[in-house]
Structure formats: C-alpha cells, structure tokens
Amino acid sequence: MTSQGRRIAGCHLLLRGNRWMPIGVNKALGGKDRCSPEGAVISAYLSAVVEGDTIVGWLGNSAFSVQEVLPNGTLAPLDLTPARLALQAYDTDMEAGKAGIVGVSSLIAGRRIQEQNTGNLPSKLREAAFERATVQILDKIQGHPVVGVRLYDCFPVRR
C-alpha cells in the first residue's frame, strides 16, 4: 500500500475475443491487434482518480476506440469529426450569446462526443473493461508490476 495523495491512473486495454487484455500505454496498434481474425482493433484508455490505495472515480476522458484495418494492414484513422463540430458549436453558442440568444449547439456536440467515446460498444463490454482496469490499477498502486497502467501525481492548484 501507499501513502500517496491524489493521483491519476491511466490504463490501456485491448479487446481480444471477448476479454480485455492490458497493453503498454505507449503501444502503437496495428492490424495484428484485431479483436478477431477479420475484426476491427478495439482498445480502451480508461482514466481514474486515485486517492491513497482507492479508486474514487473515473474521468470523462476515458474512451474506447474502434478502428477498422485497411487492406495494407494499417488502421483507419480515428474520426475526429465530433471534436471539430464541438469546437465550432462552442463558437456558435458564444456568438448567439452575444446576441442574447441561448445556444444549444455545444450541448448537442457534447452528446456526440460522449457517444463516440463509447465506441458504440455494448454496455456489458464497456463495463468489463472498467472491471479489468480496476484490477490493473489496484495492483499497480499496491506495488505489483503491471502492464498498461501509468500513475500521474496531481499537484494542488495554487491561487
């Protein structure tokens, strides 16, 4: 166990069949990392807030990605359209606010980003990833050698 204060833990997982396997946080994924022989490459990067030796919550930047494998064995690029639309939506809402109008574009864009972050995976598969990440992170904070988890110290905000 550790007497560390608040930290952030990041856990990188790869789906193999119906099981989540830990992989190095900096591993570059490719065609050989498919979830099934003809399937896509499905991975998760889950971030948790850790206090001492306890996970106290999951961060909103936790996300799942599903990437098709191209004929040449490389992965199709991630679709960043929702992020681009979100940036435009915030600008649109700010302009609307200047005119005294309540803009909702950013709320809609936020929902699209949340949908994209799920990778459109079934909830049971996502829940299994969080369960696996929990085990990996708890093992890491207890001092065991663990693949796929990185701990980051949080520094207090100075005012």
Side-chain angles (χ1 to χ4, degrees), residues 73-99:
T74 63
L75 300 183
L78 291 174
D79 179 12
L80 300 177
T81 303
R84 187 183 77 245
L85 292 174
L87 290 173
Q88 292 171 344
Y90 290 116
D91 290 343
T92 301
D93 285 354
M94 284 192 348
E95 290 299 316
K98 289 177 186 175

PDB file of all heavy atoms in Angstrom, residues 73-99:
ATOM      1  N   GLY A  73      -2.956  -3.311 -43.964  1.00  0.00           N
ATOM      2  CA  GLY A  73      -2.624  -3.696 -42.595  1.00  0.00           C
ATOM      3  C   GLY A  73      -2.555  -2.547 -41.613  1.00  0.00           C
ATOM      4  O   GLY A  73      -2.420  -2.769 -40.412  1.00  0.00           O
ATOM      5  N   THR A  74      -2.655  -1.312 -42.077  1.00  0.00           N
ATOM      6  CA  THR A  74      -2.664  -0.172 -41.161  1.00  0.00           C
ATOM      7  C   THR A  74      -4.084   0.071 -40.670  1.00  0.00           C
ATOM      8  O   THR A  74      -5.049  -0.466 -41.217  1.00  0.00           O
ATOM      9  CB  THR A  74      -2.124   1.106 -41.849  1.00  0.00           C
ATOM     10  OG1 THR A  74      -2.994   1.443 -42.925  1.00  0.00           O
ATOM     11  CG2 THR A  74      -0.702   0.906 -42.348  1.00  0.00           C
ATOM     12  N   LEU A  75      -4.204   0.897 -39.650  1.00  0.00           N
ATOM     13  CA  LEU A  75      -5.525   1.193 -39.098  1.00  0.00           C
ATOM     14  C   LEU A  75      -6.123   2.423 -39.747  1.00  0.00           C
ATOM     15  O   LEU A  75      -5.406   3.388 -40.048  1.00  0.00           O
ATOM     16  CB  LEU A  75      -5.417   1.421 -37.589  1.00  0.00           C
ATOM     17  CG  LEU A  75      -4.878   0.252 -36.765  1.00  0.00           C
ATOM     18  CD1 LEU A  75      -4.908   0.596 -35.287  1.00  0.00           C
ATOM     19  CD2 LEU A  75      -5.665  -1.015 -37.031  1.00  0.00           C
ATOM     20  N   ALA A  76      -7.425   2.376 -39.939  1.00  0.00           N
ATOM     21  CA  ALA A  76      -8.135   3.558 -40.429  1.00  0.00           C
ATOM     22  C   ALA A  76      -7.977   4.653 -39.380  1.00  0.00           C
ATOM     23  O   ALA A  76      -7.947   4.373 -38.171  1.00  0.00           O
ATOM     24  CB  ALA A  76      -9.611   3.230 -40.643  1.00  0.00           C
ATOM     25  N   PRO A  77      -7.837   5.892 -39.800  1.00  0.00           N
ATOM     26  CA  PRO A  77      -7.669   6.976 -38.819  1.00  0.00           C
ATOM     27  C   PRO A  77      -8.919   7.141 -37.957  1.00  0.00           C
ATOM     28  O   PRO A  77     -10.027   6.803 -38.379  1.00  0.00           O
ATOM     29  CB  PRO A  77      -7.413   8.212 -39.677  1.00  0.00           C
ATOM     30  CG  PRO A  77      -7.908   7.868 -41.032  1.00  0.00           C
ATOM     31  CD  PRO A  77      -7.855   6.376 -41.158  1.00  0.00           C
ATOM     32  N   LEU A  78      -8.720   7.667 -36.761  1.00  0.00           N
ATOM     33  CA  LEU A  78      -9.855   7.969 -35.889  1.00  0.00           C
ATOM     34  C   LEU A  78     -10.673   9.082 -36.519  1.00  0.00           C
ATOM     35  O   LEU A  78     -10.127  10.011 -37.115  1.00  0.00           O
ATOM     36  CB  LEU A  78      -9.370   8.409 -34.508  1.00  0.00           C
ATOM     37  CG  LEU A  78      -8.720   7.337 -33.650  1.00  0.00           C
ATOM     38  CD1 LEU A  78      -8.158   7.962 -32.382  1.00  0.00           C
ATOM     39  CD2 LEU A  78      -9.717   6.248 -33.307  1.00  0.00           C
ATOM     40  N   ASP A  79     -11.979   9.004 -36.360  1.00  0.00           N
ATOM     41  CA  ASP A  79     -12.867  10.041 -36.873  1.00  0.00           C
ATOM     42  C   ASP A  79     -12.946  11.161 -35.839  1.00  0.00           C
ATOM     43  O   ASP A  79     -13.525  10.988 -34.772  1.00  0.00           O
ATOM     44  CB  ASP A  79     -14.253   9.455 -37.138  1.00  0.00           C
ATOM     45  CG  ASP A  79     -15.240  10.492 -37.656  1.00  0.00           C
ATOM     46  OD1 ASP A  79     -14.811  11.607 -38.039  1.00  0.00           O
ATOM     47  OD2 ASP A  79     -16.444  10.176 -37.684  1.00  0.00           O
ATOM     48  N   LEU A  80     -12.348  12.293 -36.147  1.00  0.00           N
ATOM     49  CA  LEU A  80     -12.330  13.430 -35.227  1.00  0.00           C
ATOM     50  C   LEU A  80     -13.410  14.459 -35.549  1.00  0.00           C
ATOM     51  O   LEU A  80     -13.405  15.564 -35.015  1.00  0.00           O
ATOM     52  CB  LEU A  80     -10.945  14.078 -35.227  1.00  0.00           C
ATOM     53  CG  LEU A  80      -9.819  13.134 -34.781  1.00  0.00           C
ATOM     54  CD1 LEU A  80      -8.476  13.836 -34.873  1.00  0.00           C
ATOM     55  CD2 LEU A  80     -10.065  12.607 -33.386  1.00  0.00           C
ATOM     56  N   THR A  81     -14.355  14.083 -36.411  1.00  0.00           N
ATOM     57  CA  THR A  81     -15.427  15.000 -36.793  1.00  0.00           C
ATOM     58  C   THR A  81     -16.211  15.512 -35.583  1.00  0.00           C
ATOM     59  O   THR A  81     -16.455  16.712 -35.492  1.00  0.00           O
ATOM     60  CB  THR A  81     -16.378  14.319 -37.811  1.00  0.00           C
ATOM     61  OG1 THR A  81     -15.608  13.896 -38.926  1.00  0.00           O
ATOM     62  CG2 THR A  81     -17.478  15.254 -38.254  1.00  0.00           C
ATOM     63  N   PRO A  82     -16.616  14.653 -34.631  1.00  0.00           N
ATOM     64  CA  PRO A  82     -17.352  15.185 -33.482  1.00  0.00           C
ATOM     65  C   PRO A  82     -16.555  16.237 -32.697  1.00  0.00           C
ATOM     66  O   PRO A  82     -17.127  17.223 -32.235  1.00  0.00           O
ATOM     67  CB  PRO A  82     -17.633  13.941 -32.625  1.00  0.00           C
ATOM     68  CG  PRO A  82     -17.664  12.824 -33.607  1.00  0.00           C
ATOM     69  CD  PRO A  82     -16.600  13.178 -34.609  1.00  0.00           C
ATOM     70  N   ALA A  83     -15.257  16.057 -32.564  1.00  0.00           N
ATOM     71  CA  ALA A  83     -14.445  17.045 -31.844  1.00  0.00           C
ATOM     72  C   ALA A  83     -14.409  18.366 -32.610  1.00  0.00           C
ATOM     73  O   ALA A  83     -14.534  19.444 -32.016  1.00  0.00           O
ATOM     74  CB  ALA A  83     -13.030  16.520 -31.633  1.00  0.00           C
ATOM     75  N   ARG A  84     -14.251  18.290 -33.930  1.00  0.00           N
ATOM     76  CA  ARG A  84     -14.240  19.501 -34.749  1.00  0.00           C
ATOM     77  C   ARG A  84     -15.590  20.213 -34.646  1.00  0.00           C
ATOM     78  O   ARG A  84     -15.667  21.432 -34.486  1.00  0.00           O
ATOM     79  CB  ARG A  84     -13.918  19.173 -36.204  1.00  0.00           C
ATOM     80  CG  ARG A  84     -13.718  20.420 -37.059  1.00  0.00           C
ATOM     81  CD  ARG A  84     -13.473  20.112 -38.531  1.00  0.00           C
ATOM     82  NE  ARG A  84     -14.746  19.774 -39.165  1.00  0.00           N
ATOM     83  CZ  ARG A  84     -15.059  18.589 -39.676  1.00  0.00           C
ATOM     84  NH1 ARG A  84     -14.205  17.603 -39.650  1.00  0.00           N
ATOM     85  NH2 ARG A  84     -16.227  18.373 -40.222  1.00  0.00           N
ATOM     86  N   LEU A  85     -16.678  19.458 -34.728  1.00  0.00           N
ATOM     87  CA  LEU A  85     -18.009  20.044 -34.620  1.00  0.00           C
ATOM     88  C   LEU A  85     -18.230  20.674 -33.242  1.00  0.00           C
ATOM     89  O   LEU A  85     -18.898  21.707 -33.127  1.00  0.00           O
ATOM     90  CB  LEU A  85     -19.076  18.990 -34.910  1.00  0.00           C
ATOM     91  CG  LEU A  85     -19.131  18.479 -36.345  1.00  0.00           C
ATOM     92  CD1 LEU A  85     -20.126  17.328 -36.465  1.00  0.00           C
ATOM     93  CD2 LEU A  85     -19.473  19.593 -37.314  1.00  0.00           C
ATOM     94  N   ALA A  86     -17.678  20.048 -32.203  1.00  0.00           N
ATOM     95  CA  ALA A  86     -17.826  20.604 -30.856  1.00  0.00           C
ATOM     96  C   ALA A  86     -17.142  21.961 -30.757  1.00  0.00           C
ATOM     97  O   ALA A  86     -17.693  22.902 -30.171  1.00  0.00           O
ATOM     98  CB  ALA A  86     -17.254  19.643 -29.821  1.00  0.00           C
ATOM     99  N   LEU A  87     -15.952  22.083 -31.322  1.00  0.00           N
ATOM    100  CA  LEU A  87     -15.260  23.375 -31.297  1.00  0.00           C
ATOM    101  C   LEU A  87     -16.069  24.430 -32.036  1.00  0.00           C
ATOM    102  O   LEU A  87     -16.208  25.564 -31.562  1.00  0.00           O
ATOM    103  CB  LEU A  87     -13.867  23.245 -31.905  1.00  0.00           C
ATOM    104  CG  LEU A  87     -12.858  22.447 -31.094  1.00  0.00           C
ATOM    105  CD1 LEU A  87     -11.576  22.251 -31.890  1.00  0.00           C
ATOM    106  CD2 LEU A  87     -12.578  23.133 -29.771  1.00  0.00           C
ATOM    107  N   GLN A  88     -16.615  24.091 -33.177  1.00  0.00           N
ATOM    108  CA  GLN A  88     -17.441  25.028 -33.928  1.00  0.00           C
ATOM    109  C   GLN A  88     -18.715  25.373 -33.158  1.00  0.00           C
ATOM    110  O   GLN A  88     -19.171  26.516 -33.177  1.00  0.00           O
ATOM    111  CB  GLN A  88     -17.795  24.445 -35.294  1.00  0.00           C
ATOM    112  CG  GLN A  88     -16.616  24.311 -36.224  1.00  0.00           C
ATOM    113  CD  GLN A  88     -16.952  23.536 -37.488  1.00  0.00           C
ATOM    114  OE1 GLN A  88     -17.966  22.842 -37.567  1.00  0.00           O
ATOM    115  NE2 GLN A  88     -16.074  23.635 -38.481  1.00  0.00           N
ATOM    116  N   ALA A  89     -19.270  24.384 -32.458  1.00  0.00           N
ATOM    117  CA  ALA A  89     -20.511  24.610 -31.720  1.00  0.00           C
ATOM    118  C   ALA A  89     -20.301  25.608 -30.581  1.00  0.00           C
ATOM    119  O   ALA A  89     -21.150  26.476 -30.343  1.00  0.00           O
ATOM    120  CB  ALA A  89     -21.035  23.286 -31.165  1.00  0.00           C
ATOM    121  N   TYR A  90     -19.179  25.506 -29.879  1.00  0.00           N
ATOM    122  CA  TYR A  90     -18.913  26.448 -28.790  1.00  0.00           C
ATOM    123  C   TYR A  90     -18.789  27.870 -29.338  1.00  0.00           C
ATOM    124  O   TYR A  90     -19.307  28.815 -28.746  1.00  0.00           O
ATOM    125  CB  TYR A  90     -17.662  26.041 -28.013  1.00  0.00           C
ATOM    126  CG  TYR A  90     -17.860  24.789 -27.199  1.00  0.00           C
ATOM    127  CD1 TYR A  90     -17.149  23.626 -27.470  1.00  0.00           C
ATOM    128  CD2 TYR A  90     -18.799  24.745 -26.168  1.00  0.00           C
ATOM    129  CE1 TYR A  90     -17.350  22.471 -26.747  1.00  0.00           C
ATOM    130  CE2 TYR A  90     -19.009  23.596 -25.433  1.00  0.00           C
ATOM    131  CZ  TYR A  90     -18.281  22.454 -25.723  1.00  0.00           C
ATOM    132  OH  TYR A  90     -18.487  21.306 -25.009  1.00  0.00           O
ATOM    133  N   ASP A  91     -18.128  28.014 -30.480  1.00  0.00           N
ATOM    134  CA  ASP A  91     -18.017  29.334 -31.107  1.00  0.00           C
ATOM    135  C   ASP A  91     -19.392  29.861 -31.502  1.00  0.00           C
ATOM    136  O   ASP A  91     -19.710  31.034 -31.283  1.00  0.00           O
ATOM    137  CB  ASP A  91     -17.111  29.272 -32.341  1.00  0.00           C
ATOM    138  CG  ASP A  91     -15.650  29.040 -31.984  1.00  0.00           C
ATOM    139  OD1 ASP A  91     -15.280  29.242 -30.804  1.00  0.00           O
ATOM    140  OD2 ASP A  91     -14.881  28.648 -32.881  1.00  0.00           O
ATOM    141  N   THR A  92     -20.218  28.998 -32.072  1.00  0.00           N
ATOM    142  CA  THR A  92     -21.567  29.383 -32.484  1.00  0.00           C
ATOM    143  C   THR A  92     -22.392  29.817 -31.272  1.00  0.00           C
ATOM    144  O   THR A  92     -23.100  30.828 -31.323  1.00  0.00           O
ATOM    145  CB  THR A  92     -22.261  28.213 -33.211  1.00  0.00           C
ATOM    146  OG1 THR A  92     -21.482  27.852 -34.343  1.00  0.00           O
ATOM    147  CG2 THR A  92     -23.663  28.573 -33.646  1.00  0.00           C
ATOM    148  N   ASP A  93     -22.294  29.060 -30.185  1.00  0.00           N
ATOM    149  CA  ASP A  93     -23.043  29.402 -28.977  1.00  0.00           C
ATOM    150  C   ASP A  93     -22.575  30.726 -28.371  1.00  0.00           C
ATOM    151  O   ASP A  93     -23.379  31.498 -27.852  1.00  0.00           O
ATOM    152  CB  ASP A  93     -22.942  28.284 -27.936  1.00  0.00           C
ATOM    153  CG  ASP A  93     -23.805  27.075 -28.290  1.00  0.00           C
ATOM    154  OD1 ASP A  93     -24.562  27.142 -29.280  1.00  0.00           O
ATOM    155  OD2 ASP A  93     -23.705  26.060 -27.572  1.00  0.00           O
ATOM    156  N   MET A  94     -21.268  30.991 -28.441  1.00  0.00           N
ATOM    157  CA  MET A  94     -20.762  32.266 -27.917  1.00  0.00           C
ATOM    158  C   MET A  94     -21.304  33.426 -28.748  1.00  0.00           C
ATOM    159  O   MET A  94     -21.699  34.457 -28.194  1.00  0.00           O
ATOM    160  CB  MET A  94     -19.238  32.267 -27.895  1.00  0.00           C
ATOM    161  CG  MET A  94     -18.699  31.441 -26.750  1.00  0.00           C
ATOM    162  SD  MET A  94     -16.944  31.570 -26.337  1.00  0.00           S
ATOM    163  CE  MET A  94     -16.165  32.427 -27.612  1.00  0.00           C
ATOM    164  N   GLU A  95     -21.339  33.267 -30.057  1.00  0.00           N
ATOM    165  CA  GLU A  95     -21.889  34.317 -30.921  1.00  0.00           C
ATOM    166  C   GLU A  95     -23.376  34.519 -30.646  1.00  0.00           C
ATOM    167  O   GLU A  95     -23.857  35.644 -30.604  1.00  0.00           O
ATOM    168  CB  GLU A  95     -21.662  33.975 -32.401  1.00  0.00           C
ATOM    169  CG  GLU A  95     -20.210  34.068 -32.830  1.00  0.00           C
ATOM    170  CD  GLU A  95     -19.647  35.471 -32.658  1.00  0.00           C
ATOM    171  OE1 GLU A  95     -20.326  36.459 -33.010  1.00  0.00           O
ATOM    172  OE2 GLU A  95     -18.507  35.579 -32.158  1.00  0.00           O
ATOM    173  N   ALA A  96     -24.088  33.424 -30.454  1.00  0.00           N
ATOM    174  CA  ALA A  96     -25.512  33.512 -30.146  1.00  0.00           C
ATOM    175  C   ALA A  96     -25.721  34.226 -28.810  1.00  0.00           C
ATOM    176  O   ALA A  96     -26.628  35.061 -28.674  1.00  0.00           O
ATOM    177  CB  ALA A  96     -26.136  32.119 -30.108  1.00  0.00           C
ATOM    178  N   GLY A  97     -24.866  33.933 -27.848  1.00  0.00           N
ATOM    179  CA  GLY A  97     -24.959  34.576 -26.534  1.00  0.00           C
ATOM    180  C   GLY A  97     -24.772  36.075 -26.614  1.00  0.00           C
ATOM    181  O   GLY A  97     -25.426  36.834 -25.894  1.00  0.00           O
ATOM    182  N   LYS A  98     -23.887  36.524 -27.491  1.00  0.00           N
ATOM    183  CA  LYS A  98     -23.670  37.967 -27.668  1.00  0.00           C
ATOM    184  C   LYS A  98     -24.933  38.642 -28.191  1.00  0.00           C
ATOM    185  O   LYS A  98     -25.168  39.813 -27.925  1.00  0.00           O
ATOM    186  CB  LYS A  98     -22.508  38.209 -28.636  1.00  0.00           C
ATOM    187  CG  LYS A  98     -21.162  37.848 -28.063  1.00  0.00           C
ATOM    188  CD  LYS A  98     -20.069  38.053 -29.110  1.00  0.00           C
ATOM    189  CE  LYS A  98     -18.730  37.552 -28.608  1.00  0.00           C
ATOM    190  NZ  LYS A  98     -17.706  37.633 -29.668  1.00  0.00           N
ATOM    191  N   ALA A  99     -25.728  37.891 -28.944  1.00  0.00           N
ATOM    192  CA  ALA A  99     -26.965  38.436 -29.494  1.00  0.00           C
ATOM    193  C   ALA A  99     -28.146  38.232 -28.544  1.00  0.00           C
ATOM    194  O   ALA A  99     -29.286  38.531 -28.898  1.00  0.00           O
ATOM    195  CB  ALA A  99     -27.259  37.783 -30.843  1.00  0.00           C
TER     196      ALA A  99
END
